[in-house]
Amino acid sequence: MAIVDKAQWRDSDWAAYLGCSVADVAKYREILNGMFQTGIAQITDTGKYRFEMYRYDITPSGQKRLFLKLSGNNTFDTYEAALKDANTNIIPKMHLSDFWERHLGVPARAVQMMLINGR
């Protein structure tokens, strides 16, 4: 694949990478976005920024709650620096565990589609 920066990939690029149809890419993205949320958070105590990934939990009453699933080890002075780190060093290396791959019915590397676009 000629494109290296996954933030610029189209669904056809993701389909080739994941070994699935283009239609499946949209389905996988919808499933992942319904289960996880990625973003850059500012740490209150220090004012620095880091990557965070949350998992949605739906209570028996139907209420959606977010639980911190993963946070970056590195902190940055600017939002933009944390964003670049997340999109180039963290998210492209992420894989779903075997459990989540089976549970969600998506390829383990599909979670890499959850790149952060900005604020």
Side-chain angles (χ1 to χ4, degrees), residues 11-94:
D11 284 358
S12 58
D13 299 314
W14 283 110
Y17 178 69
L18 297 172
C20 64
S21 72
V22 173
D24 286 341
V25 170
K27 180 179 80 171
Y28 297 158
R29 189 176 286 115
E30 184 178 335
I31 290 168
L32 291 167
N33 287 335
M35 196 70 196
F36 302 104
Q37 178 180 326
T38 59
I40 303 300
Q42 187 172 29
I43 302 166
T44 311
D45 296 345
T46 64
K48 293 190 180 272
Y49 297 87
R50 72 174 179 198
F51 166 78
E52 290 185 349
M53 180 177 191
Y54 290 85
R55 180 180 60 83
Y56 287 108
D57 178 54
I58 301 173
T59 65
S61 66
Q63 180 184 8
K64 252 186 172 178
R65 299 180 300 180
L66 284 173
F67 290 95
L68 184 63
K69 180 91 174 138
L70 176 70
S71 62
N73 293 329
N74 297 328
T75 58
F76 299 88
D77 292 331
T78 65
Y79 178 94
E80 291 74 20
L83 176 66
K84 182 177 180 183
D85 181 64
N87 283 342
T88 58
N89 297 319
I90 299 173
I91 297 172
K93 296 174 185 167
M94 289 178 18

